């Protein structure tokens, strides 16, 4: 209650300061002061219309001023009551529109967050797949390199170790014709 009263007083003081230039102007320059004041207000309206939701804000402010004037200037109690009921209905309508807009905004934000998370998960999955493919490729390449090295190395080992294997088995690496020529004939 106290804060609302303070806000109302501050609004009244600000409005009085805005109107002061017109009210205190001498009679001969009153028309010029009024035109200047009106031009300043139109410029302010143009500026406010450019901000987000500025047109809606200006509409509601204007409506409140018109309805407030209807309540105060109403000739009869019935007209005053009608203006008050209209104000309450307008307030309920405005709150409903605000709730609907908030719901739409929340839905939109939720959709954006979900799509962003989905894209992030897809990127992480693609990265993991690429990493797995790279590991498989590296393992395949390593296996192929090892296989080539083993086959090259085993050929060298076979040629180097053939005489040793033959000796170990009790035979020589010489051919049968070499063996026959060097061995004396049996008697």
């Amino acid at each position: 209650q106290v804060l609302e009263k303070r806000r109302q007083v501050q609004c009244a003081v600000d409005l009085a300061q805005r109107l002061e230039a017109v009210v205190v102007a001498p009679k001969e320059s009153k028309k010029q002061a009024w035109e200047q004041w009106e031009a300043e207000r139109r410029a302010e309206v143009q500026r406010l219309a450019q901000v987000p939701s500025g047109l809606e804000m200006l509409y509601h402010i204007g409506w409140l001023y018109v309805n407030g004037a209807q309540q105060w200037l109403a000739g009869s109690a019935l007209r005053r009551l009608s203006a008050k009921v209209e104000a309450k209905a307008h307030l309920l309508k405005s709150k409903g529109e605000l709730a609907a807009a908030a719901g739409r905004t929340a839905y939109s934000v939720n959709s954006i967050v979900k799509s962003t998370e989905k894209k992030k998960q897809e990127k992480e999955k693609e990265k993991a797949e690429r990493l797995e493919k790279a590991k498989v490729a590296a393992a395949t390449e390593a296996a192929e390199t090892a296989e080539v090295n083993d086959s090259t190395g085993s050929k060298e080992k076979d040629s180097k170790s053939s005489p040793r294997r033959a000796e170990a088995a009790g035979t020589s690496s010489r051919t049968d014709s070499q063996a026959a020529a060097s061995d004396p004939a049996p008697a």
Side-chain angles (χ1 to χ4, degrees):
Q1 288 282 348
V2 174
L3 291 175
E4 178 64 20
K5 190 68 169 175
R6 186 177 293 160
R7 187 190 66 78
Q8 289 174 355
V9 169
Q10 186 61 48
C11 284
V13 169
D14 290 345
L15 182 59
Q17 286 176 349
R18 287 179 176 214
L19 293 172
E20 186 175 12
V22 176
V23 173
V24 297
K27 282 193 173 192
E28 50 281 343
S29 63
K30 201 163 208 83
K31 185 176 181 181
Q32 183 183 4
W34 178 259
E35 289 173 356
Q36 182 181 356
W37 181 85
E38 192 172 314
E40 289 172 0
R41 299 297 73 81
R42 287 186 191 279
E44 185 176 12
V45 165
Q46 289 299 323
R47 183 184 57 81
L48 290 173
Q50 301 302 315
V51 300
S53 301
L55 291 175
E56 292 85 1
M57 178 185 66
L58 291 171
Y59 166 77
H60 287 290
I61 290 171
W63 191 92
L64 288 171
Y65 274 106
V66 168
N67 185 264
Q70 287 175 347
Q71 289 180 31
W72 285 103
L73 300 174
S76 67
L78 185 59
R79 285 187 183 168
R80 184 171 290 140
L81 181 63
S82 173
K84 285 183 179 182
V85 168
E86 189 179 345
K88 286 185 181 186
H90 187 268
L91 179 64
L92 288 175
K93 179 184 170 198
S94 296
K95 284 183 178 182
E97 289 172 354
L98 176 64
R104 285 190 302 270
T105 301
Y107 181 76
S108 297
V109 168
N110 189 25
S111 297
I112 291 169
V113 167
K114 282 184 178 181
S115 68
T116 303
E117 287 176 357
K118 187 176 179 181
K119 287 178 183 177
K120 184 177 178 184
Q121 288 174 351
E122 288 175 358
K123 284 183 180 180
E124 288 175 359
K125 186 177 178 182
E126 288 175 5
K127 185 178 179 181
E129 288 175 356
R130 280 186 272 147
L131 183 61
E132 187 65 29
K133 285 180 181 179
K135 285 181 180 179
V136 168
T140 304
E141 186 178 323
E144 288 174 355
T145 305
E147 190 176 291
V148 168
N149 288 343
D150 284 347
S151 65
T152 306
S154 65
K155 286 180 183 176
E156 290 175 5
K157 287 180 184 177
D158 284 346
S159 64
K160 289 180 181 177
S161 66
S162 291
R164 290 186 195 141
R165 283 187 193 161
E167 289 173 11
T171 62
S172 73
S173 61
R174 297 183 294 176
T175 62
D176 289 336
S177 59
Q178 290 174 339
S182 66
D183 285 338

